[in-house]
């Protein structure tokens, strides 16, 4: 049965890609069917993960070709966005295994497809159509006791940050209020990592306004994450790389108002005993901070960290 369903889905994808005008009148029903497959499976039982992922991909292809035709469909808000968002919750890797891996964002296949689907739909359908459907899902996700829900809420913002920037900008204050506490207070390392990742995406899309409005709470949280000894190396490195993202378009040099604390935290990471991932992130953060801060502000801290930097270069 599943092999037959896979064949039908593959044929459906071919029709959408090559004969879209022919199936356009049927696209609302096709979308409903694909959501049903992605979420619930067929009448005989649950679909395979491969078939569920393919069903989401078909919806993305319909959106890319018929965006103006499907924007007004009630199913976009009611079922398509929640279906894609549900895939972000499909993260099963144990923390220890996850922490030992590299810095790739996407490792679990269902999660990766969910992220790509939200990203594409956000870009294809536009912020006005897409973002309200996602925004409605976030309060429950952020307040959930289930770490996968909180992780999904954060990564959903990351996925939508490019295509929905115009709408996200209207919600920056509540978003920052949601995100900042999770950076250090969330009990799960993957959620803390995702919160830092979300800050990096917000910096990429909303600088320098983000730094001017929320620089201090963001930097306090990032510095706290760098100092948190309970964080796995992967989270600590992400905190250091957040400094790079913060500084990259910090046109008003807001980091200089928090320079002592930031450099002190970076210096603590520049120890030979640290994980190589942490050391690389700390060096990148140091370079970004030095470039962003005013020269006369930065120079006074030069002697504090240069011994550690020289020692690392010698050991390398």
């Amino acid at each position: 049965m599943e092999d037959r369903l896979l064949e039908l889905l593959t044929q459906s994808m071919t029709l959408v890609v090559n004969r879209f005008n022919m199936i356009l009148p049927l696209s609302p029903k096709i979308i409903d069917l694909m959501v049903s497959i992605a979420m619930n499976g067929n009448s005989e039982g649950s679909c395979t993960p491969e078939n569920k992922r393919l069903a989401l991909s078909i919806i993305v292809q319909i959106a890319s070709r018929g965006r103006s035709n499907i924007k007004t469909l009630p199913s976009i808000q009611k079922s398509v966005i929640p279906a894609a968002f549900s895939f972000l919750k499909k993260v099963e890797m144990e923390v220890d295994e996850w922490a030992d891996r590299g810095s790739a964002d996407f490792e679990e296949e269902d999660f990766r497809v969910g992220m790509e689907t939200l990203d594409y739909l956000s870009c294809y359908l536009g912020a006005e159509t897409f973002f309200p459907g996602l925004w409605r899902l976030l309060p429950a996700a952020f307040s959930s006791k289930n770490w996968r829900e909180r992780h999904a809420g954060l990564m959903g913002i990351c996925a939508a940050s490019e295509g929905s920037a115009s709408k996200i900008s209207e919600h920056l204050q509540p978003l920052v209020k949601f995100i900042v506490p999770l950076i250090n207070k969330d009990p799960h390392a993957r959620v803390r990592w995702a919160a830092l990742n979300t800050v990096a995406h917000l910096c990429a899309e909303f600088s320098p306004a983000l730094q001017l409005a929320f620089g201090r709470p963001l930097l306090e949280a990032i510095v706290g994450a760098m100092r948190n000894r309970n964080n796995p190396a992967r989270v600590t490195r992400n905190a250091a790389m957040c400094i790079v993202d913060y500084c990259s378009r910090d046109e008003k040099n807001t980091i200089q108002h928090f320079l002592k604390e930031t450099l002190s935290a970076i210096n603590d990471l520049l120890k030979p005993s640290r994980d190589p991932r942490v050391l690389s992130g700390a060096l990148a953060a140091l370079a970004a901070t030095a470039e962003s801060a005013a020269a006369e502000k930065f120079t006074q801290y030069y002697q504090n960290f240069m011994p550690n930097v020289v020692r690392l270069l010698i050991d390398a």
Side-chain angles (χ1 to χ4, degrees):
M1 175 64 73
E2 286 300 329
D3 289 342
R4 179 58 179 157
L5 178 58
L6 177 59
E7 181 182 350
L8 290 173
L9 288 170
T10 303
Q11 292 172 350
S12 298
M13 177 67 85
T14 301
L15 283 173
V16 171
V17 172
N18 298 310
R19 297 287 187 271
F20 182 71
N21 289 337
M22 184 177 72
I23 61 96
L24 178 58
L26 298 173
S27 56
K29 292 185 177 180
I30 295 173
I31 289 173
D32 289 342
L33 176 60
M34 293 304 118
V35 168
S36 178
I37 292 171
M39 293 295 292
N40 304 313
N42 56 36
S43 59
E44 299 297 323
S46 180
C47 291
T48 64
E50 181 184 9
N51 286 341
K52 291 183 177 186
R53 293 192 291 263
L54 184 52
L56 277 188
S57 297
I58 289 171
I59 294 174
V60 168
Q61 290 298 325
I62 291 173
S64 72
R65 288 161 172 78
R67 58 191 77 183
S68 62
N69 300 97
I70 70 169
K71 278 185 175 182
T72 58
L73 293 179
S75 60
I76 297 297
Q77 301 285 335
K78 183 179 178 182
S79 58
V80 171
I81 295 172
F85 185 78
S86 72
F87 273 58
L88 302 190
K89 305 171 191 177
K90 298 182 180 184
V91 284
E92 303 297 334
M93 194 179 298
E94 294 295 331
V95 172
D96 289 344
E97 179 185 357
W98 171 85
D100 286 339
R101 295 211 173 190
S103 58
D105 293 339
F106 309 128
E107 293 155 338
E108 290 139 304
E109 189 66 12
D110 285 335
F111 173 75
R112 181 189 64 78
V113 170
M115 288 290 289
E116 290 179 351
T117 300
L118 291 174
D119 180 17
Y120 289 139
L121 290 178
S122 178
C123 292
Y124 293 151
L125 301 179
E128 293 289 339
T129 297
F130 175 86
F131 190 71
L134 178 64
W135 182 251
R136 281 194 288 270
L137 302 173
L138 296 183
F142 286 142
S143 62
S144 174
K145 294 182 179 180
N146 185 335
W147 74 266
R148 292 178 177 84
E149 296 270 357
R150 301 192 301 275
H151 183 269
L154 292 163
M155 296 307 292
I157 291 295
C158 295
S161 61
E162 180 182 0
S164 294
S166 62
K167 293 298 291 183
I168 293 175
S169 65
E170 300 173 7
H171 301 279
L172 279 180
Q173 185 169 358
L175 270 178
V176 171
K177 186 177 180 180
F178 275 134
I179 295 165
V180 164
L182 298 177
I183 292 174
N184 287 298
K185 295 181 180 179
D186 197 279
H188 202 283
R190 292 193 68 169
V191 178
R192 299 196 297 273
W193 182 94
L196 289 163
N197 200 55
T198 307
V199 170
H201 277 76
L202 294 181
C203 286
E205 296 296 334
F206 304 108
S207 296
L210 183 77
Q211 289 90 329
L212 287 170
F214 309 107
R216 177 159 289 274
L218 289 175
L219 286 171
E220 287 178 346
I222 296 168
V223 166
M226 286 194 287
R227 291 191 180 282
N228 187 348
R229 291 284 183 167
N230 293 322
N231 277 333
R234 186 169 178 180
V235 178
T236 304
R237 180 188 187 279
N238 209 28
M241 294 306 297
C242 250
I243 295 294
V244 178
D245 294 305
Y246 183 97
C247 291
S248 63
R249 291 175 57 197
D250 182 23
E251 297 173 4
K252 301 298 183 181
N253 300 327
T254 61
I255 198 167
Q256 67 186 7
H257 303 302
F258 206 65
L259 196 57
K260 181 179 179 180
E261 297 89 340
T262 302
L263 288 175
S264 175
I266 293 172
N267 193 39
D268 287 344
L269 303 182
L270 292 172
K271 303 289 172 33
S273 59
R274 289 284 193 168
D275 186 288
R277 292 170 293 178
V278 173
L279 291 174
S280 67
L283 287 171
L286 179 60
T289 305
E291 184 176 356
S292 179
E296 64 274 13
K297 297 277 188 180
F298 181 79
T299 302
Q300 60 184 302
Y301 301 103
Y302 185 82
Q303 292 301 323
N304 294 344
F305 55 79
M306 280 310 295
N308 282 336
V309 173
V310 170
R311 189 180 304 114
L312 289 174
L313 292 174
I314 293 172
D315 292 343

